[in-house]
Short mmCIF file of all heavy atoms in Angstrom, two decimals:
data_model
loop_
_atom_site.label_atom_id
_atom_site.label_comp_id
_atom_site.label_asym_id
_atom_site.label_seq_id
_atom_site.Cartn_x
_atom_site.Cartn_y
_atom_site.Cartn_z
N GLY A 11 -38.79 26.66 72.50
CA GLY A 11 -37.44 26.89 73.00
C GLY A 11 -37.32 26.54 74.48
O GLY A 11 -38.28 26.14 75.13
N GLU A 19 -37.67 14.10 84.23
CA GLU A 19 -36.96 12.83 84.16
C GLU A 19 -35.71 12.93 83.30
O GLU A 19 -35.42 12.06 82.48
CB GLU A 19 -37.89 11.73 83.65
CG GLU A 19 -39.09 11.49 84.57
CD GLU A 19 -40.01 10.40 84.04
OE1 GLU A 19 -39.76 9.90 82.91
OE2 GLU A 19 -40.95 10.02 84.76
N THR A 21 -35.00 15.03 80.91
CA THR A 21 -35.18 15.51 79.53
C THR A 21 -35.85 16.87 79.52
O THR A 21 -36.85 17.08 80.22
CB THR A 21 -36.04 14.52 78.71
OG1 THR A 21 -35.39 13.25 78.67
CG2 THR A 21 -36.25 15.02 77.28
N GLU A 41 -42.45 45.14 88.34
CA GLU A 41 -42.99 46.29 89.05
C GLU A 41 -44.06 47.02 88.23
O GLU A 41 -44.96 47.63 88.80
CB GLU A 41 -41.86 47.27 89.40
CG GLU A 41 -40.86 46.72 90.41
CD GLU A 41 -39.78 47.73 90.73
OE1 GLU A 41 -39.84 48.85 90.19
OE2 GLU A 41 -38.87 47.40 91.52
N PRO A 53 -47.88 30.48 67.35
CA PRO A 53 -47.92 29.88 66.01
C PRO A 53 -46.99 28.69 65.85
O PRO A 53 -47.15 27.89 64.92
CB PRO A 53 -47.48 31.03 65.11
CG PRO A 53 -46.60 31.87 65.98
CD PRO A 53 -47.20 31.78 67.36
N LEU A 69 -43.94 32.13 61.24
CA LEU A 69 -43.84 33.16 62.28
C LEU A 69 -44.20 34.53 61.72
O LEU A 69 -44.98 35.29 62.33
CB LEU A 69 -42.41 33.17 62.83
CG LEU A 69 -42.08 34.17 63.93
CD1 LEU A 69 -42.99 34.00 65.13
CD2 LEU A 69 -40.61 34.02 64.34
N ILE A 85 -42.97 40.95 71.39
CA ILE A 85 -41.97 40.11 72.02
C ILE A 85 -42.15 38.68 71.52
O ILE A 85 -43.25 38.13 71.57
CB ILE A 85 -42.07 40.14 73.56
CG1 ILE A 85 -41.82 41.56 74.08
CG2 ILE A 85 -41.08 39.16 74.19
CD1 ILE A 85 -42.01 41.70 75.58
N PHE A 104 -38.44 42.60 58.62
CA PHE A 104 -39.18 43.67 59.28
C PHE A 104 -38.33 44.94 59.42
O PHE A 104 -38.49 45.70 60.37
CB PHE A 104 -39.66 43.22 60.66
CG PHE A 104 -40.81 42.25 60.64
CD1 PHE A 104 -40.67 40.97 61.15
CD2 PHE A 104 -42.03 42.62 60.10
CE1 PHE A 104 -41.73 40.07 61.14
CE2 PHE A 104 -43.10 41.73 60.08
CZ PHE A 104 -42.96 40.46 60.60
N ILE A 109 -42.26 49.74 65.07
CA ILE A 109 -42.31 49.49 66.50
C ILE A 109 -41.17 48.55 66.89
O ILE A 109 -40.58 47.90 66.03
CB ILE A 109 -43.67 48.86 66.92
CG1 ILE A 109 -43.89 47.52 66.20
CG2 ILE A 109 -44.82 49.83 66.67
CD1 ILE A 109 -45.11 46.77 66.66
N ASP A 121 -38.26 27.21 85.49
CA ASP A 121 -38.32 26.68 86.85
C ASP A 121 -36.94 26.61 87.51
O ASP A 121 -36.83 26.46 88.73
CB ASP A 121 -38.95 25.29 86.86
CG ASP A 121 -40.46 25.36 86.71
OD1 ASP A 121 -41.04 26.41 87.04
OD2 ASP A 121 -41.06 24.37 86.24
N PHE A 131 -37.03 38.88 79.60
CA PHE A 131 -38.39 39.30 79.26
C PHE A 131 -38.71 40.66 79.88
O PHE A 131 -39.29 41.54 79.23
CB PHE A 131 -39.38 38.24 79.73
CG PHE A 131 -40.81 38.51 79.33
CD1 PHE A 131 -41.25 38.27 78.05
CD2 PHE A 131 -41.71 39.02 80.26
CE1 PHE A 131 -42.56 38.51 77.69
CE2 PHE A 131 -43.03 39.27 79.91
CZ PHE A 131 -43.46 39.01 78.61
N MET A 132 -38.32 40.84 81.15
CA MET A 132 -38.58 42.11 81.81
C MET A 132 -37.85 43.26 81.11
O MET A 132 -38.38 44.36 80.97
CB MET A 132 -38.17 42.02 83.28
CG MET A 132 -39.04 41.07 84.09
SD MET A 132 -38.47 40.81 85.80
CE MET A 132 -38.81 42.41 86.52
N ALA A 144 -37.87 51.71 67.08
CA ALA A 144 -38.23 50.76 66.04
C ALA A 144 -37.02 49.89 65.69
O ALA A 144 -35.88 50.36 65.69
CB ALA A 144 -38.73 51.50 64.81
N LEU A 165 -26.29 40.05 66.22
CA LEU A 165 -26.12 39.04 67.25
C LEU A 165 -25.39 37.83 66.67
O LEU A 165 -25.75 37.32 65.61
CB LEU A 165 -27.48 38.59 67.79
CG LEU A 165 -27.44 37.60 68.95
CD1 LEU A 165 -26.94 38.28 70.22
CD2 LEU A 165 -28.81 37.00 69.19
N SER A 168 -24.09 31.81 70.27
CA SER A 168 -23.46 31.80 71.58
C SER A 168 -22.07 31.15 71.52
O SER A 168 -21.76 30.39 70.60
CB SER A 168 -24.33 31.03 72.58
OG SER A 168 -24.42 29.67 72.22
N GLU A 187 -29.59 48.18 83.28
CA GLU A 187 -29.16 47.92 84.65
C GLU A 187 -29.96 48.79 85.60
O GLU A 187 -30.15 49.98 85.36
CB GLU A 187 -27.66 48.23 84.78
CG GLU A 187 -27.05 47.83 86.11
CD GLU A 187 -25.55 48.02 86.14
OE1 GLU A 187 -25.01 48.69 85.22
OE2 GLU A 187 -24.91 47.50 87.06
N SER A 192 -28.84 52.46 79.07
CA SER A 192 -27.78 53.38 78.68
C SER A 192 -27.25 52.95 77.32
O SER A 192 -27.13 51.76 77.03
CB SER A 192 -26.66 53.38 79.71
OG SER A 192 -26.12 52.08 79.88
N ALA A 205 -33.67 55.87 61.03
CA ALA A 205 -34.09 54.86 60.05
C ALA A 205 -35.58 54.97 59.81
O ALA A 205 -36.35 55.21 60.73
CB ALA A 205 -33.74 53.46 60.56
N LEU A 222 -25.81 26.92 50.17
CA LEU A 222 -24.95 25.99 50.91
C LEU A 222 -23.93 26.78 51.71
O LEU A 222 -23.19 27.59 51.16
CB LEU A 222 -24.22 25.07 49.93
CG LEU A 222 -23.14 24.14 50.52
CD1 LEU A 222 -23.74 23.14 51.49
CD2 LEU A 222 -22.38 23.42 49.39
N ASP A 246 -17.79 30.35 55.06
CA ASP A 246 -17.31 30.99 56.28
C ASP A 246 -15.79 31.15 56.19
O ASP A 246 -15.12 30.42 55.44
CB ASP A 246 -17.70 30.10 57.47
CG ASP A 246 -17.56 30.79 58.81
OD1 ASP A 246 -17.19 31.98 58.84
OD2 ASP A 246 -17.84 30.13 59.83
N ALA A 255 -6.28 28.71 50.30
CA ALA A 255 -6.23 29.04 48.87
C ALA A 255 -5.11 28.28 48.18
O ALA A 255 -4.81 28.52 47.01
CB ALA A 255 -6.02 30.55 48.71
N ILE A 269 -13.89 27.12 43.95
CA ILE A 269 -14.54 28.26 43.30
C ILE A 269 -14.59 28.04 41.79
O ILE A 269 -15.61 28.34 41.13
CB ILE A 269 -13.80 29.57 43.65
CG1 ILE A 269 -13.98 29.89 45.13
CG2 ILE A 269 -14.31 30.74 42.80
CD1 ILE A 269 -13.10 31.03 45.63
N SER A 293 -3.99 34.97 50.54
CA SER A 293 -5.01 33.94 50.30
C SER A 293 -6.37 34.58 50.01
O SER A 293 -7.11 34.13 49.12
CB SER A 293 -5.11 33.00 51.50
OG SER A 293 -5.28 33.75 52.70
N ILE A 305 -18.61 39.43 51.29
CA ILE A 305 -19.64 40.18 52.00
C ILE A 305 -18.94 40.84 53.18
O ILE A 305 -18.69 40.21 54.20
CB ILE A 305 -20.79 39.27 52.45
CG1 ILE A 305 -21.43 38.58 51.24
CG2 ILE A 305 -21.84 40.06 53.22
CD1 ILE A 305 -22.56 37.62 51.58
N SER A 309 -21.72 39.85 60.00
CA SER A 309 -21.54 38.55 60.65
C SER A 309 -21.91 37.42 59.70
O SER A 309 -22.65 37.62 58.73
CB SER A 309 -22.40 38.46 61.91
OG SER A 309 -23.77 38.31 61.55
N MET A 318 -30.13 34.16 51.81
CA MET A 318 -31.35 33.37 51.65
C MET A 318 -32.51 34.26 51.20
O MET A 318 -33.28 33.90 50.30
CB MET A 318 -31.71 32.68 52.97
CG MET A 318 -30.70 31.66 53.44
SD MET A 318 -31.10 31.04 55.10
CE MET A 318 -32.44 29.94 54.72
N ALA A 320 -32.20 37.25 49.76
CA ALA A 320 -31.87 37.82 48.45
C ALA A 320 -32.23 36.86 47.34
O ALA A 320 -32.87 37.24 46.35
CB ALA A 320 -30.38 38.17 48.41
N ASP A 326 -31.63 38.13 39.62
CA ASP A 326 -30.40 38.44 38.89
C ASP A 326 -29.31 38.87 39.86
O ASP A 326 -29.59 39.39 40.95
CB ASP A 326 -30.65 39.53 37.84
CG ASP A 326 -31.07 40.84 38.46
OD1 ASP A 326 -32.28 40.99 38.79
OD2 ASP A 326 -30.21 41.72 38.65
N ILE A 338 -29.78 47.68 55.60
CA ILE A 338 -31.20 47.94 55.84
C ILE A 338 -31.62 47.73 57.29
O ILE A 338 -32.70 48.15 57.69
CB ILE A 338 -32.10 47.07 54.92
CG1 ILE A 338 -31.90 45.59 55.21
CG2 ILE A 338 -31.85 47.40 53.45
CD1 ILE A 338 -32.89 44.70 54.47
#
Side-chain angles (χ1 to χ4, degrees):
E19 298 180 354
T21 300
E41 293 181 2
L69 180 57
I85 298 175
F104 286 118
I109 60 174
D121 283 337
F131 185 78
M132 292 174 70
L165 184 71
S168 65
E187 187 174 13
S192 58
L222 173 64
D246 194 1
I269 292 170
S293 52
I305 301 179
S309 73
M318 296 173 76
D326 63 279
I338 63 172

